[in-house]
Amino acid sequence: MSPTRVLVLNSGSSSVKYQLLDMRGGARLAVGLVERIGEEKSRLKHTPADGGSREWSGSIPDHESALKSVAAELAKDGLGLDSEELAAIGHRVVHGGLRFTEPTVIDDAVLAEIERLIPVAPLHNPANLTGIRTAQGLRPDLPQVAVFDTAFHTTMPESAARYAIDVETADAHRIRRYGFHGTSHAYVSREAARLLGRAPEDVNVIVLHLGNGASASAVRGGRCVDTSMGLTPLEGLVMGTRSGDLDPAVIFHLMRVGGMSADEIDTLLNKRSGLIGLCGDNDMREIRRRVDAGDERARLAFDIYIHRLKKYIGAYYAVLGRVDAVVFTAGVGENAAAVREAAVAGLEGLGLAVDGELNAGRGDGARLVSPADARVAVAVVPTDEEMEIATQTYALVKESGNPG
Ligand code: ADP
């Protein structure tokens, strides 16, 4: 029997998230996270399928040690990396530029291209590369597959992807809108079609991925036609710590009048803006608690967040012309009923509304939260980026005939 397990790795600059999935039935055999790599008190949390989590803390100096620790934890459950059951390792890679429109088996040329894209993804691609090289070192014989966050958005027309700046300058520096969270937008838009009982080719969907990072996308017949993140994941919606859209002249102003450096402004806009910059909290649960307690700053932060969200719903409604569903996903989108309610409030003219009871209710899977007679469905679809990466990875190695 050919191997059916896929290890999914999401390597960040100081963390590695992983999941081991069995593609025969889709069982999650283990889930885990290594945090604070390179610090004195690194932490590993490993949860096997039976749910009995194991935690370990100590020094994990680099990604290689992190992956070795992960392999050791997996081995304790009889799921070691040396297992013949392992078909492939699927890596989340943040930036694939324009070249990678599909999941791709990693070879030297692919590694070189991911490296070439570092200038447009300075925080993410180096960490992703380290994860890939380390995994290759541990299992050189195994297919390693890159699944790109940008791939789903490569179908955007030039009218949506290009910024209105001098074309030669833009092309010289590869400046355009690439979009991110693509694996989630792809999965969620497809699951939304399934929830509506229709083929993805027949439905137009606005996906709102609202996590700590947040992005919206307009998906026509299964293909992305616009998305809110741009050259980097800074553009678009108000996020936990990122500003999203702003007048680019704010940056010159901060340089010339505020005396700030490019790096300082980068940190301001990526780490000290968005909800945390507006009210000191980036967790929507805490913000809602403060709003309910009458806190004015939290109220304003919430209102700014919702105002931006509404503008994107309206914009993508216009881009699509006909919308079948508006779909909420990720930590905030799946859990914060108040955000969903506020985002569509007043949009009855567009056929959008939530049913109070359905919206306030909880549920594990994909579900509708709009009234039964709604013209446009409003839905909650839990995202599952790891499952999507594993599915794409497994399909590719099976197709190319060399699993494991
Ligand atoms: P990311 O993957 O971008 O780190 P997630 O999709 O896990 O983010 O979302 C994390 C965010 O989800 C948290 O910062 C928090 O604001 C929000 N969140 C999680 N649970 C709830 C909840 N029950 N109610 C409101 N917001 C929630």
Side-chain angles (χ1 to χ4, degrees):
M1 268 245 307
S2 48
T4 53
R5 290 179 191 159
V6 175
L7 178 67
V8 176
L9 290 180
N10 180 353
S11 309
S13 53
S14 65
S15 70
V16 175
K17 290 185 199 152
Y18 62 94
Q19 288 197 10
L20 182 67
L21 297 123
D22 193 334
M23 302 319 289
R24 192 179 31 206
R28 237 170 277 262
L29 303 175
V31 177
L33 165 71
V34 188
E35 287 177 297
R36 299 199 281 271
I37 297 171
E39 293 177 31
E40 230 148 76
K41 274 201 133 190
S42 318
R43 196 174 78 104
L44 188 153
K45 184 171 180 193
H46 177 91
T47 311
D50 67 14
S53 289
R54 302 193 290 270
E55 284 196 42
W56 179 89
S57 112
S59 162
I60 299 181
D62 51 30
H63 282 72
E64 190 171 348
S65 330
L67 264 194
K68 283 188 174 149
S69 306
V70 170
E73 285 304 322
L74 287 167
K76 285 183 198 164
D77 303 319
L79 303 167
L81 282 194
D82 53 354
S83 164
E84 295 200 344
E85 294 286 317
L86 200 56
I89 301 181
H91 297 266
R92 175 189 181 212
V93 179
V94 168
H95 215 310
L98 288 182
R99 166 120 168 253
F100 297 114
T101 58
E102 301 280 343
T104 306
V105 175
I106 299 168
D107 58 18
D108 288 347
V110 172
L111 279 174
E113 182 63 16
I114 297 172
E115 193 152 9
R116 214 168 68 84
L117 288 162
I118 287 177
V120 285
L123 297 180
H124 294 104
N125 275 26
N128 301 156
L129 277 170
T130 308
I132 294 169
R133 291 200 171 108
T134 309
Q136 283 179 326
L138 292 176
R139 276 298 299 267
D141 57 314
L142 211 58
Q144 313 261 340
V145 174
V147 178
F148 299 92
D149 256 29
T150 45
F152 184 61
H153 303 303
T154 55
T155 53
M156 274 194 289
E158 287 292 284
S159 53
R162 276 208 179 262
Y163 294 110
I165 62 173
D166 172 71
V167 172
E168 279 76 36
T169 308
D171 288 351
H173 300 286
R174 283 182 288 174
I175 293 171
R176 59 188 284 118
R177 177 173 292 115
Y178 293 98
F180 300 89
H181 289 145
T183 311
S184 176
H185 287 282
Y187 175 82
V188 168
S189 55
R190 218 175 47 235
E191 288 300 305
R194 194 207 300 264
L195 180 68
L196 298 182
R198 294 165 65 180
E201 301 76 52
D202 296 338
V203 296
N204 292 351
V205 185
I206 297 173
V207 178
L208 304 168
H209 176 112
L210 311 176
N212 211 3
S215 64
S217 68
V219 183
R220 176 181 289 131
R223 290 163 69 86
C224 177
V225 293
D226 205 351
T227 195
S228 60
M229 284 178 167
L231 173 73
T232 76
L234 182 56
E235 193 180 351
L237 299 172
V238 176
M239 311 182 209
T241 66
R242 294 177 221 151
S243 63
D245 295 338
L246 86 175
D247 179 348
V250 168
I251 295 163
F252 321 138
H253 186 81
L254 287 172
M255 284 180 146
R256 293 179 188 137
V257 180
M260 291 175 75
S261 68
D263 284 348
E264 284 168 343
I265 299 170
D266 193 326
T267 305
L268 172 78
L269 298 180
N270 275 297
K271 304 235 163 83
R272 294 197 287 120
S273 296
L275 293 170
I276 208 158
L278 289 166
C279 74
D281 271 308
N282 64 337
D283 190 318
M284 191 52 81
R285 284 165 289 204
E286 183 57 18
I287 292 170
R288 282 308 308 170
R289 199 193 55 70
R290 285 173 56 187
V291 170
D292 291 342
D295 184 318
E296 287 298 323
R297 267 185 79 189
R299 172 90 250 167
L300 181 61
F302 184 78
D303 288 349
I304 294 170
Y305 183 94
I306 295 297
H307 181 75
R308 185 83 52 85
L309 202 49
K310 248 187 196 160
K311 287 207 320 198
Y312 271 93
I313 294 173
Y316 288 172
Y317 207 114
V319 165
L320 291 169
R322 188 203 85 219
V323 175
D324 299 296
V326 172
V327 190
F328 289 85
T329 193
V332 175
E334 290 166 31
N335 297 298
V339 168
R340 296 192 295 264
E341 186 183 337
V344 303
L347 302 186
E348 295 80 7
L350 299 179
L352 283 167
V354 294
D355 172 285
E357 214 165 291
L358 291 176
N359 188 45
R362 298 218 147 250
D364 277 346
R367 62 199 176 96
L368 291 172
V369 296
S370 43
D373 59 352
R375 199 147 46 84
V376 178
V378 179
V380 176
V381 176
T383 193
D384 195 340
E385 287 163 284
E386 289 77 15
M387 179 59 81
E388 180 68 13
I389 292 173
T391 304
Q392 292 191 13
T393 298
Y394 187 60
L396 184 62
V397 296
K398 251 180 51 174
E399 184 186 301
S400 59
N402 66 344

